[in-house]
Amino acid sequence: MENENRTRTRFISYEYKQVEADPGQISFLIDGYANFGWEIDENVKDIQTEHPIGRKQGTYHRKSILSLKRNRKIVNKAELTRLQRNFEANIEEIHHLEKEKTSLPSILAITTGIIGTAFMAGSTFAVTASPPHIALCILLAIPGFIGWILPYFLYKKTVHRQTQKITPLIEEKYDQIYEICEKGSKLLN
């Protein structure tokens, strides 16, 4: 009986890691890190954090923190760590590419809206001038209204175009991640 207890409580030294992730990515990250020897630390409860979005009060983006542990004396640790860094770099590149889908369209839409507002300001100054320049007011109001209406459609079209352009790049990154995970899994076995 005493011998059985000794085998159950064999000492293993662990190293620990915490990874912040969007709730929709948790399963993907757990599966990925498992290929580098990491497992979920059952001793730590699931931690949820809220990060403010921009400067708005009360608007938050939820993140989960994964608590992982790995045997310190794992075989091929140096190579697994190198592969893990490549894995993490590819995940960061995917995040960057996802943001890129909407960054250019947002800039174009905002710029168009500002230009439309400038035309409307010119139209307002033209009508409030002494004497009022009605023809100039109408001439400036037309591109002003177009500049206010166009950003929505410009944004939608540019997001669609950016998505078509960037999606193959994201898929390529996922393929690289799967290859890295496969190499890590082979090193563990």
Side-chain angles (χ1 to χ4, degrees), residues 19-125:
V19 180
E20 191 174 83
D22 292 329
Q25 268 195 325
I26 292 174
S27 291
F28 173 73
L29 290 175
I30 290 171
D31 293 343
Y33 278 107
N35 294 304
F36 309 112
W38 293 98
E39 57 189 56
I40 294 178
D41 187 359
E42 301 294 333
N43 298 324
V44 180
K45 293 181 181 178
D46 184 32
I47 303 169
Q48 299 264 335
T49 62
E50 292 183 343
H51 299 284
I53 298 175
R55 297 176 188 214
K56 289 184 177 179
Q57 290 284 3
T59 308
Y60 293 96
H61 179 69
R62 292 192 186 279
K63 293 261 186 181
S64 291
I65 297 178
L66 291 174
S67 297
L68 304 169
K69 66 181 181 179
R70 172 170 76 176
N71 188 343
R72 282 185 156 322
K73 296 180 181 173
I74 195 168
V75 181
N76 298 320
K77 184 176 178 181
E79 182 64 15
L80 286 169
T81 302
R82 186 188 69 76
L83 289 171
Q84 178 185 323
R85 286 191 187 124
N86 288 338
F87 170 77
E88 291 168 345
N90 280 323
I91 288 175
E92 284 302 314
E93 288 178 31
I94 288 172
H95 285 303
H96 177 71
L97 289 171
E98 288 289 343
K99 287 180 182 176
E100 204 173 299
K101 285 181 182 178
T102 57
S103 63
L104 178 66
S106 295
I107 292 169
L108 287 175
I110 290 169
T111 303
T112 304
I114 290 171
I115 292 170
T117 302
F119 274 104
M120 288 305 280
S123 174
T124 303
F125 289 133

Side-chain angles (χ1 to χ4, degrees), residues 161-172:
R161 194 174 334 131
Q162 284 288 96
T163 301
Q164 287 179 333
K165 184 174 116 180
I166 292 174
T167 299
L169 299 174
I170 292 173
E171 291 300 321
E172 183 180 314

